[in-house]
């Protein structure tokens, strides 16, 4: 009962799990003081664990950020890995520009999972990332096209295999993988909405179907099954050729999502929380990157705010 009270739960089994988690997170308490294994052997065993327990893309991402670290530290016994070593490694990656905040966060998540796995396995691996932070994120301004440029692209795509993908990205804000998993059963023409099964965070959402998107879907999607019957993984070259036909510089599929959000806010008059719901963001901070301040509007507001008042 005392243990359960300490960890703010009445279930002693949950309290025991929390206690184990706290032990893993404490500096130097993750290992069990058993003889250490070579880093290469640990990495190989950990990769097998990732492949068996995580989605393939997540497992590959974790391994991609861990393998260079293991290569850099292969001459050091794993029991000597400490926070100073990890902090120096992280600082070198961030300062050199090789990593952004997202990659640093992925590395930290992979390291914490490795520490927890090693502790459960009985390997003498200390918690060398205890208390580390990924660092501030530099969020570049999203590269979006104007509404007129998108409509030119959509006109150039008419009748091509990419027409539905272009329409879903620019008129619905779908991510590339969300486009390729959308089916005709997700389309409700009566309610004029599309159910999007979000692969990022596994959150479903509803996207309104406007007249232009409805016309494309009715004309192109006449059979059951996927809305897009071809993979878009190799579709960048075809998309770039389509951009050239429309007289636009080449860009990727995610630019269409940026375009949807930016046009909805700047030209459509949508509220920020409405665009947040359409994009499937959990935080308004993620959607806020599309609020690009216009210098002319700021200048006009400053002139109005500081204009001298006329004498009574």
């Amino acid at each position: 009962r005392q243990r359960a009270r300490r960890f703010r739960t009445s279930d002693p089994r949950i309290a025991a799990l929390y206690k184990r988690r706290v032990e893993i997170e404490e500096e130097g308490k993750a290992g069990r003081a058993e003889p250490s294994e070579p880093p290469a052997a640990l990495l190989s065993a950990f990769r097998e664990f990732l492949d068996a327990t995580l989605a393939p893309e997540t497992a590959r991402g974790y391994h991609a950020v861990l393998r260079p670290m293991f290569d850099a530290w292969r001459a050091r016994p794993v029991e000597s890995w400490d926070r100073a070593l990890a902090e120096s490694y992280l600082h070198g990656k961030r300062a050199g520009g090789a990593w952004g905040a997202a990659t640093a966060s992925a590395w930290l998540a992979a390291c914490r999972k490795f520490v927890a796995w090693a502790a459960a396995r009985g390997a003498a691996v200390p918690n060398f990332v205890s208390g580390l932070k990924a660092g501030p994120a530099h969020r570049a301004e999203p590269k979006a096209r104007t509404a007129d440029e998108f409509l030119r692209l959509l006109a150039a795509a008419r009748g091509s295999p990419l027409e539905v993908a272009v329409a879903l990205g620019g008129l619905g804000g779908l991510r590339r993988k969300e486009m390729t998993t959308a089916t005709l059963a997700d389309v409700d023409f009566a309610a004029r909405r599309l159910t999007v099964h979000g692969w990022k965070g596994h959150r479903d959402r509803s996207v309104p179907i406007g007249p232009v998107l409805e016309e494309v879907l009715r004309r192109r999607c006449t059979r059951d099954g996927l809305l897009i019957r071809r993979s878009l993984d190799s579709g960048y070259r075809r998309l770039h050729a389509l951009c050239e036909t429309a007289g636009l510089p080449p860009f990727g599929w995610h630019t269409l999502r940026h375009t949807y959000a930016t046009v909805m806010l700047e030209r459509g008059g949508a509220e920020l929380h409405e665009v947040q719901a359409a994009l499937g963001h959990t935080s308004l901070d993620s959607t806020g990157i599309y609020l690009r301040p216009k210098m002319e509007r700021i200048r006009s507001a400053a002139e109005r705010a500081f204009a001298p008042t006329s004498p009574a």
Side-chain angles (χ1 to χ4, degrees):
R1 285 196 301 268
Q2 291 176 351
R3 182 171 65 247
R5 194 178 301 114
R6 177 187 174 191
F7 293 99
R8 299 178 182 178
T9 176
S10 59
D11 191 331
R13 296 170 299 174
I14 297 178
L17 292 174
Y18 276 132
K19 181 181 179 182
R20 182 58 184 152
R21 179 177 178 179
V22 169
E23 288 177 352
I24 290 174
E25 291 177 350
E26 291 178 356
E27 182 74 29
K29 294 184 180 180
R32 298 184 182 176
E34 295 188 6
S36 63
E37 297 180 64
L42 276 176
L43 179 62
S44 178
F46 183 56
R47 182 173 189 179
E48 293 179 1
F49 167 76
L50 293 178
D51 292 339
T53 57
L54 298 180
E57 291 186 357
T58 306
R60 286 195 297 268
Y62 277 15
H63 186 71
V65 293
L66 285 180
R67 186 177 62 248
M69 181 193 77
F70 275 81
D71 291 341
W73 298 355
R74 63 179 178 272
R76 298 177 61 106
V78 291
E79 61 266 20
S80 69
W81 294 2
D82 54 16
R83 172 170 172 157
L85 181 65
E87 197 168 15
S88 175
Y89 182 81
L90 176 61
H91 177 74
K93 292 290 188 180
R94 292 301 309 270
W99 283 2
T103 307
S105 297
W107 173 76
L108 284 173
C111 288
R112 293 188 181 108
K113 195 168 191 67
F114 168 71
V115 168
W117 167 83
R121 194 169 185 262
V125 179
N127 189 1
F128 54 92
V129 291
S130 175
L132 274 184
K133 302 293 183 182
H138 173 69
R139 310 193 76 171
E141 184 176 295
K143 298 179 180 178
R145 312 309 306 183
T146 65
D148 293 338
E149 289 174 332
F150 167 74
L151 292 177
R152 281 163 46 196
L153 180 71
L154 185 62
R158 185 178 178 86
S160 74
L162 297 184
E163 183 180 7
V164 176
V166 171
L168 291 176
L171 298 172
L174 273 67
R175 301 179 177 94
R176 178 170 57 89
K177 291 197 174 182
E178 293 170 348
M179 300 178 195
T180 56
T181 56
T183 67
L184 197 59
D186 299 326
V187 182
D188 188 344
F189 286 113
R192 299 185 67 187
R193 68 184 178 189
L194 168 68
T195 300
V196 180
H197 304 287
W199 67 274
K200 192 172 183 180
H202 307 288
R203 295 180 299 273
D204 292 355
R205 67 184 189 274
S206 294
V207 175
I209 297 178
V212 180
L213 179 57
E214 181 180 3
E215 188 272 332
V216 172
L217 293 178
R218 286 188 181 278
R219 179 166 43 83
R220 298 287 299 178
C221 304
T222 57
R223 294 178 296 174
D224 294 337
L226 298 174
L227 297 183
I228 300 175
R229 296 176 177 83
R230 299 181 62 177
S231 171
L232 298 180
D233 293 337
S234 59
Y236 286 97
R237 183 176 300 177
R238 291 179 287 136
L239 178 60
H240 293 172
L242 197 63
C243 292
E244 184 177 356
T245 303
L248 301 174
F251 52 79
W253 291 108
H254 211 72
T255 300
L256 297 175
R257 178 174 165 88
H258 292 324
T259 301
Y260 171 79
T262 304
V263 173
M264 287 280 287
L265 286 169
E266 294 184 356
R267 188 173 176 179
E271 298 292 339
L272 189 62
H273 68 277
E274 295 171 339
V275 178
Q276 175 196 10
L279 294 178
H281 288 159
T282 57
S283 172
L284 275 176
D285 292 339
S286 300
T287 319
I289 63 174
Y290 299 106
L291 289 175
R292 298 183 297 181
K294 298 298 184 181
M295 191 57 61
E296 294 78 8
R297 296 175 60 182
I298 296 175
R299 184 181 298 111
S300 300
E303 291 175 355
R304 291 194 303 270
F306 295 98
T309 57
S310 58

mmCIF file of all heavy atoms in Angstrom, residues 98-130:
data_model
loop_
_atom_site.group_PDB
_atom_site.id
_atom_site.type_symbol
_atom_site.label_atom_id
_atom_site.label_comp_id
_atom_site.label_asym_id
_atom_site.label_seq_id
_atom_site.Cartn_x
_atom_site.Cartn_y
_atom_site.Cartn_z
ATOM 1 N N ALA A 98 23.940 18.274 -38.688
ATOM 2 C CA ALA A 98 23.547 16.971 -39.211
ATOM 3 C C ALA A 98 22.173 16.556 -38.713
ATOM 4 O O ALA A 98 21.445 15.827 -39.401
ATOM 5 C CB ALA A 98 24.587 15.920 -38.812
ATOM 6 N N TRP A 99 21.824 17.008 -37.516
ATOM 7 C CA TRP A 99 20.540 16.644 -36.922
ATOM 8 C C TRP A 99 19.711 17.875 -36.633
ATOM 9 O O TRP A 99 20.238 18.895 -36.162
ATOM 10 C CB TRP A 99 20.745 15.894 -35.608
ATOM 11 C CG TRP A 99 21.144 14.462 -35.746
ATOM 12 C CD1 TRP A 99 21.378 13.781 -36.899
ATOM 13 C CD2 TRP A 99 21.359 13.546 -34.669
ATOM 14 N NE1 TRP A 99 21.726 12.488 -36.625
ATOM 15 C CE2 TRP A 99 21.727 12.309 -35.263
ATOM 16 C CE3 TRP A 99 21.287 13.632 -33.293
ATOM 17 C CZ2 TRP A 99 22.012 11.183 -34.502
ATOM 18 C CZ3 TRP A 99 21.562 12.511 -32.530
ATOM 19 C CH2 TRP A 99 21.934 11.302 -33.133
ATOM 20 N N GLY A 100 18.440 17.766 -36.870
ATOM 21 C CA GLY A 100 17.485 18.744 -36.379
ATOM 22 C C GLY A 100 16.868 18.241 -35.087
ATOM 23 O O GLY A 100 17.246 17.182 -34.557
ATOM 24 N N ALA A 101 15.927 18.983 -34.574
ATOM 25 C CA ALA A 101 15.301 18.597 -33.310
ATOM 26 C C ALA A 101 14.533 17.280 -33.445
ATOM 27 O O ALA A 101 14.501 16.478 -32.508
ATOM 28 C CB ALA A 101 14.368 19.705 -32.829
ATOM 29 N N ALA A 102 13.913 17.051 -34.601
ATOM 30 C CA ALA A 102 13.140 15.819 -34.783
ATOM 31 C C ALA A 102 14.044 14.588 -34.752
ATOM 32 O O ALA A 102 13.726 13.582 -34.110
ATOM 33 C CB ALA A 102 12.362 15.880 -36.100
ATOM 34 N N THR A 103 15.199 14.657 -35.436
ATOM 35 C CA THR A 103 16.128 13.531 -35.432
ATOM 36 C C THR A 103 16.710 13.318 -34.048
ATOM 37 O O THR A 103 16.889 12.181 -33.598
ATOM 38 C CB THR A 103 17.245 13.769 -36.453
ATOM 39 O OG1 THR A 103 16.685 14.072 -37.727
ATOM 40 C CG2 THR A 103 18.142 12.547 -36.574
ATOM 41 N N ALA A 104 17.041 14.422 -33.353
ATOM 42 C CA ALA A 104 17.560 14.307 -31.997
ATOM 43 C C ALA A 104 16.535 13.663 -31.071
ATOM 44 O O ALA A 104 16.885 12.829 -30.228
ATOM 45 C CB ALA A 104 17.965 15.684 -31.476
ATOM 46 N N SER A 105 15.269 14.021 -31.222
ATOM 47 C CA SER A 105 14.217 13.424 -30.405
ATOM 48 C C SER A 105 14.074 11.931 -30.713
ATOM 49 O O SER A 105 13.870 11.119 -29.801
ATOM 50 C CB SER A 105 12.890 14.138 -30.644
ATOM 51 O OG SER A 105 12.962 15.487 -30.242
ATOM 52 N N ALA A 106 14.178 11.573 -31.986
ATOM 53 C CA ALA A 106 14.092 10.161 -32.358
ATOM 54 C C ALA A 106 15.261 9.379 -31.771
ATOM 55 O O ALA A 106 15.103 8.237 -31.309
ATOM 56 C CB ALA A 106 14.070 10.023 -33.880
ATOM 57 N N TRP A 107 16.450 9.981 -31.784
ATOM 58 C CA TRP A 107 17.631 9.331 -31.194
ATOM 59 C C TRP A 107 17.446 9.125 -29.699
ATOM 60 O O TRP A 107 17.754 8.055 -29.161
ATOM 61 C CB TRP A 107 18.871 10.175 -31.481
ATOM 62 C CG TRP A 107 20.105 9.686 -30.778
ATOM 63 C CD1 TRP A 107 20.869 8.600 -31.115
ATOM 64 C CD2 TRP A 107 20.715 10.273 -29.625
ATOM 65 N NE1 TRP A 107 21.917 8.480 -30.235
ATOM 66 C CE2 TRP A 107 21.850 9.492 -29.312
ATOM 67 C CE3 TRP A 107 20.430 11.380 -28.839
ATOM 68 C CZ2 TRP A 107 22.686 9.782 -28.238
ATOM 69 C CZ3 TRP A 107 21.252 11.674 -27.773
ATOM 70 C CH2 TRP A 107 22.367 10.893 -27.473
ATOM 71 N N LEU A 108 16.946 10.132 -29.005
ATOM 72 C CA LEU A 108 16.717 10.006 -27.568
ATOM 73 C C LEU A 108 15.683 8.922 -27.266
ATOM 74 O O LEU A 108 15.854 8.136 -26.329
ATOM 75 C CB LEU A 108 16.254 11.341 -26.986
ATOM 76 C CG LEU A 108 17.344 12.402 -26.800
ATOM 77 C CD1 LEU A 108 16.722 13.732 -26.387
ATOM 78 C CD2 LEU A 108 18.352 11.956 -25.746
ATOM 79 N N ALA A 109 14.604 8.874 -28.054
ATOM 80 C CA ALA A 109 13.589 7.840 -27.854
ATOM 81 C C ALA A 109 14.174 6.450 -28.073
ATOM 82 O O ALA A 109 13.893 5.511 -27.311
ATOM 83 C CB ALA A 109 12.409 8.079 -28.786
ATOM 84 N N ALA A 110 15.008 6.314 -29.108
ATOM 85 C CA ALA A 110 15.633 5.022 -29.380
ATOM 86 C C ALA A 110 16.597 4.638 -28.261
ATOM 87 O O ALA A 110 16.651 3.474 -27.849
ATOM 88 C CB ALA A 110 16.359 5.077 -30.722
ATOM 89 N N CYS A 111 17.348 5.607 -27.753
ATOM 90 C CA CYS A 111 18.288 5.325 -26.661
ATOM 91 C C CYS A 111 17.553 4.910 -25.397
ATOM 92 O O CYS A 111 17.970 3.974 -24.699
ATOM 93 C CB CYS A 111 19.155 6.554 -26.384
ATOM 94 S SG CYS A 111 20.395 6.909 -27.657
ATOM 95 N N ARG A 112 16.462 5.591 -25.085
ATOM 96 C CA ARG A 112 15.707 5.231 -23.878
ATOM 97 C C ARG A 112 15.098 3.840 -24.007
ATOM 98 O O ARG A 112 15.055 3.083 -23.028
ATOM 99 C CB ARG A 112 14.623 6.280 -23.629
ATOM 100 C CG ARG A 112 15.179 7.649 -23.255
ATOM 101 C CD ARG A 112 14.079 8.604 -22.819
ATOM 102 N NE ARG A 112 14.638 9.906 -22.503
ATOM 103 C CZ ARG A 112 14.497 11.001 -23.240
ATOM 104 N NH1 ARG A 112 13.771 10.947 -24.345
ATOM 105 N NH2 ARG A 112 15.045 12.143 -22.884
ATOM 106 N N LYS A 113 14.633 3.512 -25.186
ATOM 107 C CA LYS A 113 14.087 2.165 -25.392
ATOM 108 C C LYS A 113 15.198 1.121 -25.279
ATOM 109 O O LYS A 113 14.982 0.033 -24.735
ATOM 110 C CB LYS A 113 13.404 2.074 -26.755
ATOM 111 C CG LYS A 113 12.509 0.849 -26.897
ATOM 112 C CD LYS A 113 11.646 0.973 -28.120
ATOM 113 C CE LYS A 113 10.553 -0.107 -28.120
ATOM 114 N NZ LYS A 113 9.588 0.088 -27.034
ATOM 115 N N PHE A 114 16.383 1.465 -25.774
ATOM 116 C CA PHE A 114 17.516 0.551 -25.674
ATOM 117 C C PHE A 114 17.912 0.334 -24.216
ATOM 118 O O PHE A 114 18.192 -0.795 -23.792
ATOM 119 C CB PHE A 114 18.692 1.095 -26.476
ATOM 120 C CG PHE A 114 19.993 0.378 -26.217
ATOM 121 C CD1 PHE A 114 20.185 -0.914 -26.672
ATOM 122 C CD2 PHE A 114 21.009 0.995 -25.506
ATOM 123 C CE1 PHE A 114 21.370 -1.586 -26.425
ATOM 124 C CE2 PHE A 114 22.199 0.336 -25.258
ATOM 125 C CZ PHE A 114 22.383 -0.956 -25.709
ATOM 126 N N VAL A 115 17.938 1.417 -23.426
ATOM 127 C CA VAL A 115 18.294 1.309 -22.014
ATOM 128 C C VAL A 115 17.291 0.429 -21.278
ATOM 129 O O VAL A 115 17.673 -0.432 -20.470
ATOM 130 C CB VAL A 115 18.385 2.713 -21.381
ATOM 131 C CG1 VAL A 115 18.472 2.619 -19.866
ATOM 132 C CG2 VAL A 115 19.601 3.467 -21.916
ATOM 133 N N ALA A 116 16.002 0.639 -21.523
ATOM 134 C CA ALA A 116 14.975 -0.174 -20.871
ATOM 135 C C ALA A 116 15.082 -1.636 -21.287
ATOM 136 O O ALA A 116 14.947 -2.545 -20.456
ATOM 137 C CB ALA A 116 13.595 0.377 -21.203
ATOM 138 N N TRP A 117 15.333 -1.873 -22.573
ATOM 139 C CA TRP A 117 15.478 -3.249 -23.059
ATOM 140 C C TRP A 117 16.696 -3.908 -22.435
ATOM 141 O O TRP A 117 16.641 -5.069 -22.004
ATOM 142 C CB TRP A 117 15.603 -3.234 -24.577
ATOM 143 C CG TRP A 117 16.057 -4.543 -25.166
ATOM 144 C CD1 TRP A 117 15.287 -5.633 -25.461
ATOM 145 C CD2 TRP A 117 17.401 -4.881 -25.539
ATOM 146 N NE1 TRP A 117 16.061 -6.633 -25.986
ATOM 147 C CE2 TRP A 117 17.362 -6.199 -26.051
ATOM 148 C CE3 TRP A 117 18.619 -4.222 -25.493
ATOM 149 C CZ2 TRP A 117 18.498 -6.862 -26.502
ATOM 150 C CZ3 TRP A 117 19.749 -4.868 -25.945
ATOM 151 C CH2 TRP A 117 19.689 -6.180 -26.448
ATOM 152 N N ALA A 118 17.823 -3.183 -22.369
ATOM 153 C CA ALA A 118 19.046 -3.740 -21.787
ATOM 154 C C ALA A 118 18.854 -4.060 -20.308
ATOM 155 O O ALA A 118 19.358 -5.073 -19.804
ATOM 156 C CB ALA A 118 20.202 -2.766 -21.980
ATOM 157 N N ALA A 119 18.120 -3.207 -19.578
ATOM 158 C CA ALA A 119 17.873 -3.460 -18.164
ATOM 159 C C ALA A 119 17.041 -4.720 -17.980
ATOM 160 O O ALA A 119 17.320 -5.539 -17.097
ATOM 161 C CB ALA A 119 17.170 -2.261 -17.542
ATOM 162 N N ALA A 120 16.008 -4.885 -18.806
ATOM 163 C CA ALA A 120 15.187 -6.089 -18.709
ATOM 164 C C ALA A 120 15.971 -7.339 -19.096
ATOM 165 O O ALA A 120 15.689 -8.438 -18.613
ATOM 166 C CB ALA A 120 13.954 -5.948 -19.595
ATOM 167 N N ARG A 121 16.981 -7.169 -19.947
ATOM 168 C CA ARG A 121 17.797 -8.296 -20.399
ATOM 169 C C ARG A 121 18.911 -8.633 -19.421
ATOM 170 O O ARG A 121 19.496 -9.695 -19.475
ATOM 171 C CB ARG A 121 18.384 -7.933 -21.767
ATOM 172 C CG ARG A 121 18.978 -9.068 -22.569
ATOM 173 C CD ARG A 121 19.259 -8.585 -23.976
ATOM 174 N NE ARG A 121 19.715 -9.651 -24.851
ATOM 175 C CZ ARG A 121 20.989 -9.896 -25.137
ATOM 176 N NH1 ARG A 121 21.932 -9.133 -24.594
ATOM 177 N NH2 ARG A 121 21.331 -10.873 -25.944
ATOM 178 N N GLY A 122 19.224 -7.693 -18.545
ATOM 179 C CA GLY A 122 20.277 -7.917 -17.566
ATOM 180 C C GLY A 122 21.643 -7.437 -18.004
ATOM 181 O O GLY A 122 22.654 -7.789 -17.400
ATOM 182 N N ALA A 123 21.700 -6.604 -19.051
ATOM 183 C CA ALA A 123 22.983 -6.063 -19.512
ATOM 184 C C ALA A 123 23.382 -4.856 -18.667
ATOM 185 O O ALA A 123 22.527 -4.097 -18.202
ATOM 186 C CB ALA A 123 22.889 -5.667 -20.984
ATOM 187 N N ALA A 124 24.668 -4.690 -18.458
ATOM 188 C CA ALA A 124 25.180 -3.599 -17.626
ATOM 189 C C ALA A 124 25.271 -2.313 -18.433
ATOM 190 O O ALA A 124 26.347 -1.797 -18.720
ATOM 191 C CB ALA A 124 26.542 -3.970 -17.053
ATOM 192 N N VAL A 125 24.130 -1.783 -18.818
ATOM 193 C CA VAL A 125 24.081 -0.547 -19.598
ATOM 194 C C VAL A 125 23.488 0.546 -18.722
ATOM 195 O O VAL A 125 22.306 0.473 -18.364
ATOM 196 C CB VAL A 125 23.232 -0.725 -20.874
ATOM 197 C CG1 VAL A 125 23.167 0.586 -21.654
ATOM 198 C CG2 VAL A 125 23.801 -1.831 -21.744
ATOM 199 N N PRO A 126 24.260 1.550 -18.349
ATOM 200 C CA PRO A 126 23.718 2.649 -17.541
ATOM 201 C C PRO A 126 22.778 3.523 -18.365
ATOM 202 O O PRO A 126 22.793 3.481 -19.595
ATOM 203 C CB PRO A 126 24.957 3.427 -17.097
ATOM 204 C CG PRO A 126 25.968 3.136 -18.160
ATOM 205 C CD PRO A 126 25.696 1.735 -18.634
ATOM 206 N N ASN A 127 21.988 4.303 -17.682
ATOM 207 C CA ASN A 127 21.075 5.218 -18.375
ATOM 208 C C ASN A 127 21.857 6.459 -18.792
ATOM 209 O O ASN A 127 21.842 7.483 -18.126
ATOM 210 C CB ASN A 127 19.907 5.600 -17.465
ATOM 211 C CG ASN A 127 18.821 6.358 -18.207
ATOM 212 O OD1 ASN A 127 18.934 6.581 -19.407
ATOM 213 N ND2 ASN A 127 17.788 6.759 -17.510
ATOM 214 N N PHE A 128 22.501 6.367 -19.941
ATOM 215 C CA PHE A 128 23.419 7.414 -20.379
ATOM 216 C C PHE A 128 22.706 8.615 -20.978
ATOM 217 O O PHE A 128 23.360 9.619 -21.309
ATOM 218 C CB PHE A 128 24.424 6.848 -21.401
ATOM 219 C CG PHE A 128 23.796 6.161 -22.581
ATOM 220 C CD1 PHE A 128 23.528 6.864 -23.745
ATOM 221 C CD2 PHE A 128 23.470 4.828 -22.515
ATOM 222 C CE1 PHE A 128 22.955 6.243 -24.828
ATOM 223 C CE2 PHE A 128 22.891 4.184 -23.609
ATOM 224 C CZ PHE A 128 22.627 4.887 -24.765
ATOM 225 N N VAL A 129 21.404 8.566 -21.136
ATOM 226 C CA VAL A 129 20.658 9.714 -21.680
ATOM 227 C C VAL A 129 19.711 10.309 -20.642
ATOM 228 O O VAL A 129 18.792 11.048 -20.994
ATOM 229 C CB VAL A 129 19.870 9.315 -22.950
ATOM 230 C CG1 VAL A 129 20.801 9.020 -24.101
ATOM 231 C CG2 VAL A 129 18.952 8.144 -22.661
ATOM 232 N N SER A 130 19.942 10.006 -19.387
ATOM 233 C CA SER A 130 19.057 10.506 -18.339
ATOM 234 C C SER A 130 19.051 12.034 -18.316
ATOM 235 O O SER A 130 20.094 12.677 -18.201
ATOM 236 C CB SER A 130 19.519 9.990 -16.976
ATOM 237 O OG SER A 130 18.741 10.545 -15.946
#
